[in-house]
Amino acid sequence: MTIADRIAAFRAALDEWLRGLYHGMITHPAYEKIEKEAEDAEDEFMLACFPDAFGIPSPISYYTAELLPYLEDEFEAWERRLWDRETLIERKGQQYHF
C-alpha cells in the first residue's frame, strides 16, 4: 500500500466519521423535532375533524364524516396512537426536558 493509498483511506474514514458526527449532533435531533411537530399537527387536525371518536360532541361531525373514507388508514393509526400515548402533559414536557 503506497502512501497515497493510505492518505486516501484515512481521508475516506475521516469523511465518514465527520458525516456521522454531524448527523448525530445536528441533523438527527432536528429530524426528531420535525417529526414530533408534524405528528402534533396531524393529531390536531384529526381531533378537529373527528372529536366524537373521543366523546367530544361536535356539530360539524356530520360534514367531516365525509372525509372518513379518504382518511381511513390515518384515522385507525391516529386513534391507536392516541389511546396508547402517555398523557399530553408528559409528551409536551419531553419537548422542554422537564
Side-chain angles (χ1 to χ4, degrees):
M1 179 179 256
T2 66
I3 190 82
D5 293 337
R6 291 175 69 190
I7 290 173
F10 175 75
R11 288 185 70 189
L14 182 64
D15 183 49
E16 182 182 349
W17 184 82
L18 287 174
R19 285 181 191 267
L21 181 68
Y22 177 77
H23 176 73
M25 291 180 66
I26 297 169
T27 310
H28 182 68
Y31 286 143
E32 252 179 35
K33 287 183 181 183
I34 291 169
E35 286 174 354
K36 282 186 179 183
E37 288 296 322
E39 190 176 277
D40 287 345
E42 182 183 351
D43 291 348
E44 291 165 3
F45 171 75
M46 294 294 277
L47 187 59
C49 288
F50 307 109
D52 51 342
F54 291 93
I56 302 169
S58 174
I60 63 168
S61 294
Y62 176 77
Y63 300 106
T64 58
E66 295 176 4
L67 295 173
L68 196 53
Y70 302 105
L71 300 172
E72 180 181 2
D73 296 332
E74 289 87 0
F75 181 79
E76 290 174 4
W78 168 72
E79 195 172 26
R80 196 174 319 112
R81 188 174 65 238
L82 283 187
W83 284 118
D84 292 342
R85 185 188 294 179
E86 63 269 5
T87 66
L88 183 63
I89 295 171
E90 289 177 6
R91 176 154 168 81
K92 289 297 179 182
Q94 290 175 354
Q95 294 176 354
Y96 304 106
H97 305 290
F98 289 137

